[in-house]
Amino acid sequence: MKPIRTFVVIPSLPGPLARLKDLAYNLWWCWNPEAIGLFRRLDPEQWDKTYHNPVRMLGTVSQERLQAKAQDEGFLAHLERCWTSFQEYMNDRQTWYAKTYGYSDKPLIAYFSAEFGINESLPLYSGGLGMLAGDHLKSASDLGLPLVGVGLLYRVGYFQQYLTSDGQQQERYPENDFHNMAISVCRSPEGKPLTVQVALPGRPVTAQLWKIAVGRITLLLLDTDVPENQPNDRRITRELYGGDTETRIQQELLLGIGGLRALHAMNFHPTVYHMNEGHSAFLALERIAVAMERHQMTFREALELTRQSNVFTTHTPVPAGIDVFSRELMEKYFSQYFSKLGIGWKEFLDLGWQNGTPKGDGFSMAVLALNLCGYANGVSKLHGEVSRRMWGSLYPGVPANEIPIESITNGVHVRSYISQELSTLYDRYLGPRWIHSPWDHTVWQKVDQIPPEELWRTHERRRERLVAFARQRLQKQLQARGAPPSEIAHAKEVLDPETLTIGFARRFATYKRATLLFRDKERLIRILTNKDRPVQLIIAGKAHPKDEPGKNFIKEILQHCDDERIRRHITFIENYDVVVARYLVQGVDVWLNNPRRPQEASGTSGMKAAANGVLNLSILDGWWDEAYTPEVGWAIGNRDEHPDPTYQDEVEANSLYELLEKEVVPTFYDRGQDNLPRRWIAMMRACMRQLIPVFNTNRMVAEYTDRYYQPGNLRYRALSENDRARARGLARWLEEVRSCWGNVRIESVEAEGGEEHRVGENLRIKIRLYLDRLKAHDVAVEVFHGFVSASGLIDTGEAVRTQVVHEEAGRATFEGNISFASSGRMGFAVRVLPSHPDLIHPILTGHILWS
C-alpha cells in the first residue's frame, strides 16, 4: 500500500541525554574508545544488534531505559567526559595544519573517492580503497586540514556474503536506511534539500546531497534515488561497483562532474582537488569547463590554471584494473558536453584515449587523470616504480625513473584498528602523544618500557576474544546453512585460544593467491597438527560477484576446512567486513599475505595488524617491500619475478612452509621458565617501534599536504591573481612552444678529452641549439649521464642542467659539467625540454628533444 504521507521519526531523548544525538551524528566517536564505551554502556544488547550504529540504537532503546540512564549519575558523568573531549577536539585551533600553514575555516582541499570505509555502521565501501579513503578523512580531521570529502551515497552499498553447504559464495544486498544512519540531508539557508543536476543523454539527472560529519571533516554524498528522476536513473547510486559498464560511466559522471557542482552548491570552493583512483577523473574536465565559463578563459588557459592543483593517486598495479570506456559510450555521454570545452572531438578523446588496453581501445580514466593532473603518485615505493613502467608509453622518450609519477606510501588510522586493551597500554606507557603525533619515532621508542608480561598477556586476551568470536560466527554460519546439530556443536570446539594463530583475510582476487598455503596439503597438515607446536588458520574474504576463479578459491578452502584431520585447526569466517577485520588484526599472532609480486599496490591490512604488534609473514610486495627487516617479521621468497607463474607459486609456497617450520613456529613456542616467548615479544616491540610511526595515515596525509596540497594551493592562487594573468600567459607561451618545437634542433655537442676519464674528474660539455622563435630561457638543456647497460642504453641516469653562455639570432650555446663518481662504462646524452617558471613539470608538455 503506497502511503499518502511520509514522516521521519527521530529518537525521543530525555533532556540530560540530548547530547547523545550530537555525538552519534559525528563519526568522531568511532575512533575514540571512551565514546564507543559510552554507547555500548547505554544498551549493550542493542549496540550489537544495530551493528554498532548509535543513531539506530538511540531509536530502538526503550524509553524506560533512556529514563533510567538519564538519572544514572555514573552514565551522565561518562557522557560529560565524552562531550568535553568532543568539544575540545572540535574547537582546537592549534592543530598540526594550523600551526604549520595557518588556520582556515573554509575547505581548501577536496578529496574525491568512489567509496569511503569509515565504520561498519556506514556500509559505503568494498575493500582497501574505501578503508584508505575513510582513514584519510579521519587523519585529515586529526591534523586539522581544511578538507572536504566527496563521494556517492549507495542504497545497498557492497554485497554481503554467505556460503552454501557446498562452499559456493552467494550475495545479498540489504538496503541502507539513511534515516537511521549518521547521515544528514544538506539544506539551503531556506531549509530546502540541496540538489544538483548532471546532464545524461536526453535528460537531466538530479542528485540530492547528504553529508556525514567525520570529526572536523564534512563528507558530501550524492544520491540519485529521488522522485524527480526516471526509474533507471534512480538506480545509478543504488549499488557500489554494481551494474554494467554503462552504469559505471554514469556513476563516474555523477561523482566527478556532479561532485564539483555539489561543492559549489554548498558554497565550498577548494583550490586543490585530490582524485583517489581514476573514478572521479571527469572532475578535471568540469573544473576546466567552470573556469572557462566563470573567467572567460580558453580551454588551454583553463587547463593550465586547474591542472597544477589536481592530484591523482593510482591504486592499480595492473592495466586490467583501469576503467576504460568505448568510443560509443563516450559519444553517447559526451557528444554535447565536449563542445563546452571549445575543442574538437578528437582532441577531447585524446585527453584519455589509449590503444591496446586489456579492455580494448578506449577512453581510460587513468590516462585522463594523468593528462590533467599536475601531481600523480602510487601508494608504495614499489608501486610507484610499477606505475612508471605501466604508464611509460604515455611519456615517449622519458627514462622510466623520470616519469612524473611519484609515490606516497599508504598508512592506516592507528586508533581505528587497535584494541581497547592495547590502547590503554599505550596510554599508560607512551603518554598521549601516540594519539596526537603517531608519526613521531621518539614516541614509539617507549614501547620498550612496556613490561613483557603485560604486553604478552594483553595479546593473549585478544587472541582468546578472537577465538570466541570465530566460534560464534561459525555456529551462526552453520545454522544459516541448515547444518545438522552435531556439526553446529562441533563449531564450539574449533580453534584453541593458546595456539599460534595465523590470519589471512582479503579480497579473493586470484593474484592474492588465497590457496597458496594449501599447495602441499600434507606438509601443511603436519605443520598444523604438530602435537607439541600446533598452528591454526583463520581465513576470511569475499570474491567479486563476477569473479568465478575467486569464488572457486573460496570453495576449495571450504573443502579443506571440512577435512577431519584439520577441522579444529582452520576456519573460514563469512562476510568479511570491518568488524571481522578488527577482530583478526587485533587477535592473530601472524598476518599472512602472499600476492604474486608486484601486483599488490600497498596492502594496508598488514599495517593494521602491525599497529597491534602482530607480525607479518608476507611476500616482498607493496608496503612490505619497504617495511621488512628481520626484526619485525618474515619475508616469503625474495624479490624475483618469474615469467612462469606456476614455478613462482612452487618456489614461494616452499619458502612459506620453510619459514613456518624453521622460524615462525619455533620462535612462538620457544618459552622460558616464565612461559613467555621472549624472542617473539622482542619482535612485537620492534614491529611497533619501527612500523607504526611510518605506516600511519597521519604521516601519509601530512606528506600529501607538504608535497601536493600546499604547493598546489599556492600555485593555483598565484596563477589566479590579476584575473588569472599568469595562467593566460603560461597558455600563450605553451602555444608558442608547440608551434616552434618541430623546428628546434641540436646542432652540435662537444665534449672535452678522450675516451678515458678518471673517477672524480669533470667533463665539460658544450651544446649549440637552433631555437627558431624561442629564446634560451624558454628551454632547459640537460646532460643525462650514467652507466651504459649491456643493451647500450642509459637505463637510469642523472640529469645535469647546463647554463646559457651565448645567444644570438635564434641560436644559443649552453655549457655544463658532469663528474664521474665511480668507474665503469659511462655515457651521456643531451636533451632539451621546455622551461617556464609557472610550468609544474616540463614532461607534462609532451615535448622532449634528445641528441
Side-chain angles (χ1 to χ4, degrees):
M1 181 63 66
K2 188 176 179 64
I4 61 171
R5 190 173 176 188
T6 61
F7 307 89
V8 174
V9 180
I10 62 173
S12 179
L13 297 176
L17 302 185
R19 289 171 173 173
L20 281 174
K21 181 181 177 183
D22 292 328
L23 288 174
Y25 271 89
N26 190 309
L27 273 295
W28 170 87
W29 66 261
C30 77
W31 69 92
N32 286 269
E34 188 160 33
I36 295 171
L38 175 72
F39 287 118
R40 181 182 287 114
R41 182 176 180 176
L42 180 64
D43 192 323
E45 185 177 340
Q46 286 299 320
W47 179 247
D48 288 334
K49 276 187 178 180
T50 60
Y51 216 52
H52 312 152
N53 180 348
V55 174
R56 183 171 180 80
M57 187 181 73
L58 292 179
T60 56
V61 174
S62 69
Q63 287 301 125
E64 291 79 11
R65 187 169 184 86
L66 289 174
Q67 291 293 347
K69 289 296 181 184
Q71 299 173 33
D72 182 334
E73 293 183 2
F75 184 83
L76 293 177
H78 192 167
L79 172 57
E80 183 63 30
R81 288 196 304 274
C82 288
W83 182 255
T84 300
S85 296
F86 176 59
Q87 291 300 303
E88 289 174 351
Y89 180 91
M90 296 297 290
N91 296 323
D92 184 7
R93 295 293 182 267
Q94 295 299 311
T95 63
W96 172 83
Y97 184 90
K99 289 188 284 189
T100 309
Y101 295 111
Y103 175 76
S104 173
D105 60 353
K106 292 285 181 69
L108 300 178
I109 307 133
Y111 181 85
F112 281 63
S113 182
E115 51 175 305
F116 286 90
I118 304 168
N119 178 257
E120 57 269 23
S121 63
L122 291 162
L124 307 173
Y125 61 92
S126 72
L129 178 74
M131 299 310 300
L132 185 278
D135 285 3
H136 197 108
L137 298 191
K138 292 174 184 177
S139 284
S141 174
D142 288 343
L143 296 173
L145 261 68
L147 181 145
V148 57
V150 181
L152 301 180
L153 183 59
Y154 302 100
R155 179 61 64 178
V156 297
Y158 206 53
F159 72 91
Q160 291 190 4
Q161 174 200 57
Y162 67 98
L163 304 175
T164 61
S165 57
D166 63 351
Q168 190 66 41
Q169 174 180 290
Q170 301 293 312
E171 298 89 29
R172 63 168 64 96
Y173 295 87
E175 292 199 357
N176 289 324
D177 178 3
F178 301 152
H179 296 289
N180 271 315
M181 299 165 70
I183 307 175
S184 306
V185 174
C186 297
R187 298 187 181 276
S188 69
E190 297 76 32
K192 295 181 179 179
L194 281 178
T195 61
V196 295
Q197 286 193 333
V198 175
L200 294 189
R203 79 279 185 193
V205 169
T206 299
Q208 180 168 295
L209 306 188
W210 300 71
K211 62 183 177 181
I212 297 174
V214 186
R216 303 180 181 101
I217 302 298
T218 297
L219 170 59
L220 294 180
L221 301 170
L222 289 83
D223 168 28
T224 62
D225 189 11
V226 294
E228 297 94 311
N229 290 332
Q230 299 174 14
N232 284 343
D233 291 337
R234 295 185 70 159
R235 295 180 63 85
I236 290 174
T237 55
R238 177 166 179 78
E239 187 182 333
L240 172 60
Y241 302 145
D244 55 14
T245 307
E246 188 153 8
T247 303
R248 182 63 67 88
I249 198 172
Q250 291 172 347
Q251 288 186 338
E252 297 186 1
L253 269 162
L254 183 68
L255 176 60
I257 296 174
L260 183 61
R261 294 175 185 177
L263 289 170
H264 293 166
M266 292 286 291
N267 199 27
F268 293 158
H269 301 279
T271 55
V272 177
Y273 291 78
H274 187 170
M275 305 165 204
N276 189 40
E277 211 21 284
H279 307 116
S280 58
F282 292 138
L283 154 71
L285 296 175
E286 181 70 359
R287 283 197 76 194
I288 292 171
V290 169
M292 291 175 66
E293 180 183 351
R294 287 187 177 179
H295 310 305
Q296 291 74 55
M297 304 182 83
T298 67
F299 171 78
R300 292 291 168 187
E301 290 170 346
L303 168 59
E304 296 310 324
L305 172 65
T306 58
R307 169 161 47 193
Q308 307 213 24
S309 57
N310 285 338
V311 182
F312 170 50
T313 296
T314 173
H315 295 256
T316 309
V318 290
I322 304 297
D323 283 340
V324 177
F325 301 120
S326 68
R327 185 185 300 269
E328 291 73 25
L329 267 183
M330 292 302 295
E331 287 175 349
K332 181 176 180 179
Y333 284 90
F334 283 93
S335 59
Q336 301 298 315
Y337 183 93
F338 88 95
S339 60
K340 293 169 51 176
L341 302 175
I343 57 177
W345 178 245
K346 183 181 185 305
E347 188 176 0
F348 174 78
L349 281 184
D350 285 346
L351 292 172
W353 197 261
Q354 186 181 19
N355 290 322
T357 80
K359 300 173 183 176
D361 299 349
F363 191 91
S364 165
M365 296 299 281
V367 173
L368 177 66
L370 289 168
N371 281 332
L372 299 185
C373 290
Y375 303 97
N377 71 284
V379 290
S380 67
K381 290 178 182 177
L382 177 59
H383 182 232
E385 296 173 14
V386 169
S387 298
R388 288 189 286 275
R389 292 200 302 267
M390 182 169 151
W391 299 111
S393 62
L394 299 181
Y395 308 93
V398 179
N401 64 312
E402 292 197 322
I403 287 171
I405 302 174
E406 301 175 317
S407 67
I408 292 181
T409 301
N410 279 346
V412 297
H413 187 257
V414 175
R415 289 193 83 195
S416 293
Y417 302 103
I418 64 167
S419 66
Q420 170 67 55
E421 299 93 335
L422 193 60
S423 177
T424 302
L425 212 56
Y426 287 165
D427 287 342
R428 187 181 308 140
Y429 291 99
L430 276 58
R433 287 181 58 237
W434 78 268
I435 296 173
H436 306 304
S437 304
W439 64 64
D440 188 338
H441 287 259
T442 61
V443 171
W444 298 99
Q445 298 300 318
K446 297 180 181 178
V447 296
D448 290 335
Q449 297 177 14
I450 302 174
E453 301 86 354
E454 203 167 346
L455 178 59
W456 186 245
R457 184 57 195 139
T458 297
H459 179 65
E460 286 190 311
R461 282 196 296 270
R462 295 182 305 175
R463 192 191 316 114
E464 291 164 2
R465 192 174 59 194
L466 168 62
V467 168
F469 170 78
R471 288 172 175 173
Q472 291 169 2
R473 274 295 184 102
L474 184 56
Q475 288 178 65
K476 290 179 181 178
Q477 291 168 197
L478 292 171
Q479 288 168 353
R481 291 178 210 160
S486 59
E487 193 172 347
I488 296 171
H490 164 77
K492 299 177 182 178
E493 301 174 358
V494 300
L495 307 177
D496 182 332
E498 296 184 358
T499 291
L500 170 60
T501 305
I502 299 174
F504 180 95
R506 53 199 24 90
R507 182 167 53 90
F508 267 59
T510 50
Y511 79 86
K512 293 179 182 282
R513 299 189 296 183
T515 57
L516 186 71
L517 190 58
F518 299 90
R519 192 172 181 86
D520 185 342
K521 186 174 178 181
E522 296 305 314
R523 189 173 180 182
L524 175 63
I525 289 173
R526 290 195 297 272
I527 294 171
L528 295 179
T529 59
N530 183 302
K531 185 181 296 185
D532 298 320
R533 294 179 168 183
V535 179
Q536 58 196 14
L537 305 172
I538 303 179
I539 302 171
K542 296 176 178 178
H544 188 278
K546 296 178 182 177
D547 182 3
E548 291 303 323
K551 289 184 174 182
N552 289 335
F553 276 1
I554 294 175
K555 193 172 184 178
E556 180 183 336
I557 289 173
L558 263 290
Q559 291 169 352
H560 294 309
C561 290
D562 287 337
D563 188 319
E564 283 294 337
R565 295 172 292 176
I566 53 175
R567 283 187 69 182
R568 293 188 62 181
H569 294 263
I570 179 170
T571 189
F572 187 97
I573 299 178
E574 290 178 14
N575 201 33
Y576 181 48
D577 67 357
V578 181
V579 173
V580 175
R582 197 179 291 126
Y583 274 100
L584 284 168
V585 298
Q586 292 175 3
V588 299
D589 301 293
V590 175
W591 193 256
L592 175 63
N593 189 28
N594 43 239
R596 185 172 286 118
R597 192 179 195 268
Q599 296 184 39
E600 184 83 281
S602 177
T604 51
S605 62
M607 301 177 190
K608 296 166 188 171
N612 285 282
V614 172
L615 306 183
N616 276 264
L617 170 61
S618 178
I619 296 289
L620 290 165
D621 198 7
W623 81 290
W624 194 239
D625 184 67
E626 62 194 84
Y628 166 71
T629 66
E631 296 84 24
V632 300
W634 298 274
I636 302 169
N638 49 36
R639 292 181 170 88
D640 290 344
E641 297 168 24
H642 301 282
D644 179 0
T646 303
Y647 176 72
Q648 184 170 353
D649 291 353
E650 185 70 33
V651 169
E652 291 173 349
N654 186 63
S655 172
L656 174 53
Y657 295 133
E658 289 274 318
L659 284 168
L660 288 171
E661 292 165 341
K662 298 179 180 179
E663 297 290 336
V664 180
V665 175
T667 304
F668 182 85
Y669 285 106
D670 181 13
R671 310 288 174 99
Q673 290 185 345
D674 54 9
N675 200 34
L676 291 178
R678 292 193 173 270
R679 277 198 302 154
W680 192 278
I681 295 170
M683 292 182 72
M684 289 177 67
R685 284 172 161 173
C687 171
M688 296 170 175
R689 191 171 56 245
Q690 294 181 31
L691 302 186
I692 298 177
V694 178
F695 300 100
N696 66 80
T697 43
N698 285 44
R699 183 275 310 160
M700 180 195 80
V701 171
E703 197 171 342
Y704 274 111
T705 304
D706 293 338
R707 291 173 57 184
Y708 299 158
Y709 296 164
Q710 194 62 15
N713 174 50
L714 295 177
R715 282 180 173 274
Y716 183 83
R717 292 184 182 281
L719 292 174
S720 298
E721 290 174 354
N722 301 318
D723 190 27
R724 274 115 323 241
R726 285 170 63 174
R728 299 179 198 273
L730 178 59
R732 285 195 301 272
W733 175 82
L734 280 168
E735 284 298 326
E736 181 72 0
V737 169
R738 289 188 190 96
S739 67
C740 296
W741 197 258
N743 298 323
V744 175
R745 62 181 180 270
I746 300 171
E747 294 189 323
S748 67
V749 178
E750 300 174 9
E752 299 174 347
E755 295 188 2
E756 284 192 359
H757 296 271
R758 295 180 182 277
V759 172
E761 282 185 357
N762 286 335
L763 177 63
R764 186 119 185 117
I765 299 168
K766 179 185 290 186
I767 304 110
R768 293 188 179 89
L769 296 185
Y770 174 69
L771 293 171
D772 195 20
R773 297 189 307 276
L774 300 182
K775 303 296 183 184
H777 61 73
D778 292 326
V779 297
V781 180
E782 298 175 340
V783 180
F784 186 77
H785 67 101
F787 285 100
V788 178
S789 67
S791 62
L793 301 175
I794 305 173
D795 294 324
T796 57
E798 179 186 353
V800 175
R801 189 161 183 169
T802 62
Q803 301 298 317
V804 62
V805 294
H806 182 71
E807 182 175 9
E808 184 179 1
R811 286 177 165 81
T813 302
F814 295 78
E815 291 185 2
N817 291 318
I818 61 172
S819 60
F820 303 104
S822 58
S823 60
R825 188 184 179 207
M826 301 287 184
F828 75 86
V830 172
R831 68 183 182 191
V832 184
L833 293 160
S835 177
H836 189 282
D838 286 331
L839 196 62
I840 189 169
H841 204 303
I843 287 171
L844 294 178
T845 65
H847 299 308
I848 182 169
L849 175 65
W850 286 93
S851 53

